[in-house]
Amino acid sequence: MSASKKLRKTSLFEVHKASGARFTGFAGFELPARYTELKAEHRAVRERAGLFDVSHMGVISLEGDLALQATQLVTTNDASKLKDGKCQYTLICNESGGVIDDTVLYRINKESYFFCVNGSSKDKVFLWFREKLKDLKNLVVTDKSSELALIALQGPLSERILQKICKADLSELKYYSFTSTTLDGVEVIISRTGYTGEDGFELYLPNDSAKGVWEMIMASGKEFGILPAGLGARDTLRQEMGFPLYGQELDEETSPLEASLKKFVSFKKGDFFGKSALEKELREGVKKRLIAIELIDSGIARAGANILEDGKVIGKVTSGTFSPTLERAIALGYIDNDRASSKSPDKDKERKISVEIRGKTRRVVLVKRPFYKKPKAS
Amino acid sequence: MEFPDNVKYTKEHEWVREEDGAVVIGITDYAQDSLGDVVYVELPEEGSTVTREETYGVVESVKAVSDLYAPVSGTVLEVNEAIVDSPEVINDEPYGEAWMLKIELSDSSELGDLLSVDEYKKFVEEEN
């Protein structure tokens, strides 16, 4: 239970500690796993709002007249489609088409982009950019991660909470857009992005302002029932949406096509790292496919559990949890491509698929992602 | 954190209460609090035997899975099926409603090896 001494602390560590957080090690940081109960935090985000410290995430910028060209080379999505102030989900692949990281790209202007990268990937992404882009003239690659804190405000009431303390008109800020503004004099970048399936914002701000802004948002959200939320809830929220997590569903041995992320790969744009490997994979077919399963029997399938069909191992679970909203066990995993979901959900239901949990087989059913669909507001 | 003094404890955060010549076992308040929201419990069948310090079941929270260690050896007389259906009771009532098994001891001297409430409290403090 004790955290390793090597773990770094975010600039909000003392704030979390004072709130009674239980910490866990993640991506080299000591981060709140939960403050009270995971389910309560999860529910707060689905119904009202939750505030997350995600300062373990990294920020890497590409600046210079060749910034767009550089970005196109190291990403799979078409960055030329991005306008100033817009974000784009994209992937950074190696030459074999394996995923080095999945990331959100921000375009400040045509000579200035930055990536929000996963905490566990930021060092290798930085080195990859430096190495692969070294011949591009006047291109500056900067790892800004240690200067910045990153806070995510997520949930249907996020706009009302943040608008109270923010001068910019947030109703004008569309999904996957961002703006530079000030919160009580603090310079922040606010993007309408997130990892929970709910409306919400992510705020990039200097470390020394993090505590003040965190407390300001908590105070503003008090009347709306905001809760600080930990990594535990962040994980159950993203799993309910079927979002991949780097290190679980994505790694350098897995391609975007296998992870059902083809729509974030532009084969029409110019060359990029991994393109020819991915084109080959497109022609010849993938080896495995990401699938979503729900357990019919009791138990929770965790990462590493075998997935079986007709007594034969056909794949492995990569993430699994108990969904607080659906109140049943859900999991993501990969199965051999020739066993992948058919086009017909009814046929999938008839298949006898199971997972192995502690030596026992438990029946599961293949389902479509997301597991959780938000009810339409009436 | 609750530390009732009518039960004995183990370092695996189990409790044992003597009742009608048998014992009732469960997990402590500290254990349920560390686990977080419990969503699944797996218990042995009535009539099976459990051995001290060996696993007899599993308890899972949203986040983690944890083995249940038998604090004593013996035969399972009763299984609390109610918590299999409503595992969240373990978070609410770890010493009451959420007992796990009733056991007929095979060696009553094992009771002497359990921790008193003060010893257990001290152990928990040291663990943190």
Coordinates of all heavy atoms in Angstrom, one line a residue, chain A residues 1-2 22 34 37-40 231-232 235-236 239 298-302 320-324 357-358 360 362, chain B residues 1 30 32-42 58 60-67 84 88 91 127-128:
Chain A
M1 N 0.8 -1.2 0.0 CA 0.0 0.0 0.0 C 0.8 1.3 0.0 O 0.4 2.3 -0.5 CB -0.9 0.0 1.2 CG -2.2 -0.5 1.0 SD -3.3 0.0 2.2 CE -4.8 -0.8 1.5
S2 N 2.0 1.2 0.6 CA 2.8 2.4 0.6 C 3.4 2.7 -0.8 O 3.7 1.8 -1.5 CB 4.0 2.2 1.6 OG 4.8 1.1 1.2
R22 N -6.8 9.1 -1.2 CA -5.9 7.9 -1.1 C -5.1 7.9 -2.4 O -5.7 8.1 -3.5 CB -6.7 6.6 -1.1 CG -7.2 6.3 0.2 CD -8.4 5.4 0.0 NE -9.2 5.4 1.2 CZ -9.0 4.7 2.2 NH1 -8.0 3.8 2.2 NH2 -9.7 4.8 3.3
R34 N -8.8 7.9 -5.1 CA -10.1 8.3 -4.8 C -10.1 9.2 -3.6 O -9.1 9.2 -2.8 CB -11.0 7.1 -4.5 CG -10.6 6.2 -3.4 CD -11.5 5.0 -3.3 NE -10.9 4.0 -2.5 CZ -11.3 3.6 -1.2 NH1 -12.2 4.3 -0.6 NH2 -10.7 2.7 -0.6
E37 N -15.6 7.7 -2.1 CA -15.9 6.4 -2.7 C -15.9 6.6 -4.2 O -16.5 7.5 -4.7 CB -17.3 5.9 -2.2 CG -17.2 5.4 -0.8 CD -16.2 4.3 -0.5 OE1 -16.0 3.4 -1.4 OE2 -15.6 4.3 0.6
L38 N -15.3 5.6 -4.9 CA -15.2 5.6 -6.3 C -16.6 5.8 -7.0 O -16.8 6.6 -7.9 CB -14.5 4.4 -6.8 CG -14.1 4.2 -8.3 CD1 -13.0 3.2 -8.4 CD2 -15.2 4.0 -9.2
K39 N -17.5 5.0 -6.5 CA -18.9 5.1 -7.1 C -19.5 6.5 -7.0 O -20.2 6.9 -7.9 CB -19.8 4.1 -6.5 CG -19.7 2.6 -7.0 CD -20.7 1.8 -6.3 CE -20.7 0.4 -6.8 NZ -21.6 -0.5 -6.0
A40 N -19.3 7.1 -5.9 CA -19.9 8.4 -5.6 C -19.2 9.4 -6.6 O -19.9 10.3 -7.1 CB -19.7 8.8 -4.2
L231 N -8.4 8.8 -9.9 CA -8.1 8.0 -11.1 C -9.0 6.8 -11.2 O -9.2 6.3 -12.3 CB -6.6 7.5 -11.0 CG -5.5 8.5 -11.3 CD1 -4.2 7.8 -11.3 CD2 -5.7 9.1 -12.7
G232 N -9.5 6.3 -10.1 CA -10.4 5.2 -10.1 C -11.6 5.5 -10.9 O -12.0 4.7 -11.8
D235 N -11.0 5.9 -14.6 CA -10.9 4.7 -15.3 C -12.2 4.0 -15.5 O -12.5 3.5 -16.6 CB -9.9 3.7 -14.5 CG -9.5 2.6 -15.4 OD1 -9.2 2.8 -16.6 OD2 -9.5 1.4 -14.9
T236 N -13.1 4.0 -14.5 CA -14.4 3.4 -14.8 C -15.3 4.2 -15.8 O -16.0 3.7 -16.6 CB -15.2 3.2 -13.5 OG1 -15.3 4.5 -12.7 CG2 -14.6 2.2 -12.6
Q239 N -13.9 3.5 -19.2 CA -14.3 2.1 -19.6 C -15.7 2.0 -20.1 O -16.0 1.3 -21.0 CB -13.9 1.1 -18.5 CG -12.5 0.8 -18.4 CD -12.2 -0.4 -17.6 OE1 -12.7 -1.5 -17.8 NE2 -11.3 -0.2 -16.6
S298 N -21.5 -13.9 -12.8 CA -21.0 -12.9 -11.9 C -19.4 -12.9 -12.0 O -18.8 -13.8 -12.6 CB -21.4 -13.2 -10.5 OG -21.0 -14.5 -10.1
G299 N -18.8 -11.9 -11.4 CA -17.3 -11.8 -11.4 C -16.9 -10.7 -12.3 O -17.7 -10.1 -13.0
I300 N -15.6 -10.3 -12.1 CA -15.1 -9.2 -12.9 C -13.9 -9.7 -13.7 O -13.0 -10.3 -13.1 CB -14.7 -8.0 -12.0 CG1 -15.9 -7.5 -11.3 CG2 -14.1 -6.9 -12.8 CD1 -15.6 -6.5 -10.2
A301 N -13.9 -9.5 -15.0 CA -12.7 -9.9 -15.8 C -11.7 -8.8 -15.8 O -12.0 -7.7 -16.3 CB -13.2 -10.2 -17.2
R302 N -10.6 -9.0 -15.3 CA -9.5 -8.0 -15.2 C -8.5 -8.2 -16.4 O -8.5 -9.3 -17.0 CB -8.8 -8.1 -13.9 CG -9.6 -8.1 -12.7 CD -10.0 -6.7 -12.3 NE -10.8 -6.7 -11.0 CZ -11.4 -5.6 -10.6 NH1 -11.3 -4.4 -11.1 NH2 -12.2 -5.7 -9.5
G320 N -10.8 -4.2 -17.5 CA -12.2 -4.7 -17.0 C -12.5 -4.1 -15.7 O -11.6 -3.9 -14.9
T321 N -13.8 -3.9 -15.5 CA -14.2 -3.3 -14.2 C -15.6 -3.6 -14.0 O -16.3 -4.3 -14.8 CB -13.9 -1.8 -14.2 OG1 -14.1 -1.3 -12.9 CG2 -14.9 -1.0 -15.1
F322 N -16.2 -3.1 -12.9 CA -17.6 -3.2 -12.6 C -18.1 -1.8 -13.0 O -17.6 -0.8 -12.5 CB -17.8 -3.5 -11.2 CG -19.3 -3.6 -10.8 CD1 -19.9 -4.8 -11.0 CD2 -20.0 -2.6 -10.3 CE1 -21.3 -5.0 -10.7 CE2 -21.3 -2.7 -10.0 CZ -22.0 -3.9 -10.2
S323 N -19.0 -1.7 -13.9 CA -19.5 -0.4 -14.3 C -20.5 0.1 -13.3 O -21.6 -0.5 -13.1 CB -20.3 -0.6 -15.7 OG -21.2 0.5 -15.9
P324 N -20.2 1.2 -12.7 CA -21.1 1.8 -11.6 C -22.4 2.2 -12.2 O -23.4 2.1 -11.5 CB -20.3 3.0 -11.1 CG -18.8 2.7 -11.4 CD -18.9 2.0 -12.7
I357 N -11.8 -16.5 -15.2 CA -11.4 -15.7 -14.0 C -11.0 -16.7 -12.9 O -11.8 -17.5 -12.5 CB -12.6 -14.9 -13.6 CG1 -13.1 -14.0 -14.7 CG2 -12.2 -14.0 -12.4 CD1 -14.4 -13.2 -14.4
R358 N -9.8 -16.6 -12.5 CA -9.3 -17.5 -11.4 C -9.6 -19.0 -11.7 O -10.1 -19.7 -10.9 CB -9.8 -17.1 -10.1 CG -9.3 -15.7 -9.6 CD -9.8 -15.3 -8.2 NE -11.2 -15.0 -8.2 CZ -11.7 -13.8 -8.5 NH1 -10.9 -12.8 -8.9 NH2 -13.0 -13.6 -8.5
K360 N -11.9 -20.3 -13.5 CA -13.3 -20.6 -13.8 C -13.8 -19.9 -15.0 O -13.4 -18.7 -15.2 CB -14.2 -20.3 -12.6 CG -14.0 -21.2 -11.4 CD -15.0 -20.8 -10.3 CE -14.4 -21.2 -8.9 NZ -14.9 -20.4 -7.9
R362 N -16.5 -17.9 -17.1 CA -17.7 -17.1 -16.9 C -18.2 -16.7 -18.3 O -17.5 -16.1 -19.1 CB -17.3 -15.9 -16.1 CG -16.5 -16.1 -14.8 CD -17.5 -16.6 -13.7 NE -16.8 -16.9 -12.5 CZ -17.4 -17.1 -11.4 NH1 -18.7 -17.1 -11.3 NH2 -16.6 -17.4 -10.3
Chain B
M1 N -12.9 5.1 11.8 CA -12.7 3.6 11.7 C -13.2 2.9 12.9 O -12.9 3.3 14.0 CB -11.2 3.4 11.5 CG -10.7 2.1 11.0 SD -10.9 1.9 9.3 CE -9.9 3.2 8.6
Y30 N -11.3 -1.5 8.4 CA -10.1 -1.1 7.7 C -10.0 -1.8 6.4 O -9.7 -1.1 5.4 CB -8.9 -1.4 8.6 CG -7.6 -1.0 7.9 CD1 -7.1 0.3 7.9 CD2 -6.9 -2.0 7.2 CE1 -5.9 0.6 7.3 CE2 -5.7 -1.7 6.5 CZ -5.2 -0.4 6.6 OH -4.1 0.0 5.9
Q32 N -12.4 -3.1 4.5 CA -13.5 -2.6 3.5 C -13.1 -1.2 3.0 O -13.4 -0.9 1.9 CB -14.9 -2.8 4.1 CG -15.3 -1.8 5.2 CD -15.6 -0.4 4.7 OE1 -15.9 -0.2 3.5 NE2 -15.6 0.6 5.6
D33 N -12.6 -0.4 3.9 CA -12.3 0.9 3.6 C -11.1 1.0 2.6 O -11.1 1.8 1.7 CB -11.9 1.7 4.9 CG -11.8 3.2 4.6 OD1 -12.8 3.7 4.2 OD2 -10.8 3.8 4.9
S34 N -10.2 0.1 2.8 CA -9.0 0.1 1.8 C -9.5 -0.4 0.4 O -9.0 0.0 -0.6 CB -7.9 -0.9 2.3 OG -7.6 -0.6 3.6
L35 N -10.5 -1.4 0.4 CA -10.9 -1.9 -0.8 C -11.8 -0.9 -1.6 O -11.7 -0.9 -2.8 CB -11.8 -3.1 -0.6 CG -11.1 -4.5 -0.3 CD1 -12.1 -5.4 0.3 CD2 -10.6 -5.0 -1.7
G36 N -12.5 -0.1 -0.9 CA -13.5 0.7 -1.6 C -14.8 -0.1 -2.0 O -14.9 -1.2 -1.5
D37 N -15.6 0.5 -2.8 CA -16.9 -0.1 -3.1 C -16.8 -1.6 -3.5 O -16.3 -1.9 -4.6 CB -17.5 0.6 -4.3 CG -17.8 2.1 -4.0 OD1 -18.6 2.3 -3.1 OD2 -17.2 3.0 -4.6
V38 N -17.3 -2.4 -2.7 CA -17.2 -3.9 -2.9 C -18.4 -4.2 -3.9 O -19.5 -3.8 -3.7 CB -17.3 -4.7 -1.6 CG1 -17.4 -6.2 -2.0 CG2 -16.1 -4.4 -0.8
V39 N -18.1 -5.0 -4.9 CA -19.1 -5.3 -5.9 C -19.2 -6.8 -6.2 O -20.1 -7.2 -6.9 CB -18.8 -4.6 -7.3 CG1 -19.0 -3.1 -7.2 CG2 -17.4 -4.9 -7.8
Y40 N -18.4 -7.6 -5.6 CA -18.4 -9.0 -5.8 C -17.8 -9.8 -4.7 O -16.7 -9.4 -4.2 CB -17.7 -9.3 -7.2 CG -17.7 -10.8 -7.5 CD1 -18.8 -11.4 -7.9 CD2 -16.5 -11.5 -7.5 CE1 -18.8 -12.8 -8.2 CE2 -16.4 -12.8 -7.8 CZ -17.6 -13.5 -8.2 OH -17.5 -14.8 -8.5
V41 N -18.4 -10.9 -4.3 CA -17.9 -11.7 -3.3 C -18.0 -13.2 -3.7 O -19.0 -13.6 -4.3 CB -18.6 -11.6 -1.9 CG1 -17.8 -12.3 -0.8 CG2 -18.9 -10.2 -1.6
E42 N -17.0 -14.0 -3.5 CA -17.0 -15.4 -3.8 C -16.7 -16.1 -2.5 O -15.7 -15.9 -1.9 CB -15.9 -15.7 -4.8 CG -16.2 -16.8 -5.8 CD -15.1 -16.9 -6.9 OE1 -15.2 -16.1 -7.9 OE2 -14.1 -17.6 -6.7
V58 N -12.9 -14.7 -2.3 CA -12.4 -13.5 -2.9 C -13.4 -12.4 -2.7 O -14.6 -12.6 -2.7 CB -12.3 -13.8 -4.5 CG1 -12.2 -12.5 -5.3 CG2 -11.1 -14.7 -4.7
E60 N -14.1 -8.4 -4.3 CA -13.6 -7.5 -5.3 C -14.3 -6.2 -5.2 O -15.5 -6.1 -5.0 CB -14.0 -8.1 -6.7 CG -13.0 -9.1 -7.2 CD -13.0 -9.3 -8.7 OE1 -12.4 -8.6 -9.4 OE2 -13.7 -10.3 -9.1
S61 N -13.5 -5.1 -5.3 CA -14.1 -3.8 -5.4 C -14.1 -3.4 -6.8 O -13.6 -4.2 -7.7 CB -13.3 -2.8 -4.5 OG -12.0 -2.7 -5.1
V62 N -14.6 -2.2 -7.1 CA -14.6 -1.8 -8.5 C -13.1 -1.8 -9.0 O -12.9 -2.2 -10.1 CB -15.1 -0.3 -8.6 CG1 -15.0 0.2 -10.0 CG2 -16.5 -0.2 -8.1
K63 N -12.2 -1.5 -8.2 CA -10.8 -1.3 -8.6 C -9.9 -2.5 -8.4 O -9.0 -2.7 -9.2 CB -10.3 -0.1 -7.7 CG -9.2 0.8 -8.3 CD -9.5 1.2 -9.7 CE -8.2 1.5 -10.4 NZ -8.4 1.5 -11.8
A64 N -10.2 -3.3 -7.4 CA -9.2 -4.4 -7.1 C -9.8 -5.6 -6.6 O -10.9 -5.7 -6.1 CB -8.2 -3.8 -6.1
V65 N -9.1 -6.7 -6.8 CA -9.5 -8.0 -6.3 C -8.6 -8.4 -5.1 O -7.4 -8.1 -5.1 CB -9.5 -9.1 -7.4 CG1 -8.2 -9.1 -8.1 CG2 -9.8 -10.4 -6.8
S66 N -9.2 -9.0 -4.1 CA -8.4 -9.3 -2.9 C -8.8 -10.7 -2.4 O -10.0 -11.0 -2.4 CB -8.8 -8.2 -1.9 OG -7.9 -8.2 -0.9
D67 N -7.9 -11.5 -2.0 CA -8.2 -12.8 -1.4 C -8.7 -12.6 0.0 O -8.3 -11.7 0.7 CB -6.9 -13.6 -1.4 CG -6.6 -14.2 -2.8 OD1 -7.5 -14.5 -3.5 OD2 -5.4 -14.3 -3.1
V84 N -23.5 -12.2 -1.0 CA -23.2 -12.5 -2.3 C -24.1 -11.7 -3.3 O -23.7 -11.2 -4.3 CB -23.3 -14.0 -2.6 CG1 -23.0 -14.4 -4.1 CG2 -22.3 -14.8 -1.7
E88 N -22.4 -4.8 -1.4 CA -22.1 -3.4 -0.9 C -22.3 -3.4 0.6 O -21.8 -2.4 1.3 CB -23.0 -2.4 -1.6 CG -24.5 -2.5 -1.4 CD -25.2 -3.5 -2.2 OE1 -24.5 -4.3 -3.0 OE2 -26.4 -3.7 -2.1
N91 N -19.3 -2.8 2.8 CA -18.8 -1.5 3.1 C -19.6 -0.8 4.2 O -19.1 0.0 5.0 CB -19.0 -0.6 1.8 CG -18.1 -1.0 0.7 OD1 -18.5 -1.4 -0.3 ND2 -16.8 -1.0 0.9
E127 N 0.9 0.0 10.1 CA 0.9 -0.3 8.6 C 0.7 1.0 7.8 O 1.1 1.1 6.6 CB -0.3 -1.2 8.3 CG 0.2 -2.3 7.4 CD -0.9 -3.2 6.9 OE1 -2.1 -2.8 6.8 OE2 -0.6 -4.4 6.6
N128 N 0.2 2.1 8.4 CA 0.0 3.3 7.7 C 1.2 4.2 7.8 O 1.5 4.7 8.7 CB -1.3 4.0 8.2 CG -2.5 3.4 7.6 OD1 -2.6 3.2 6.4 ND2 -3.4 2.9 8.5

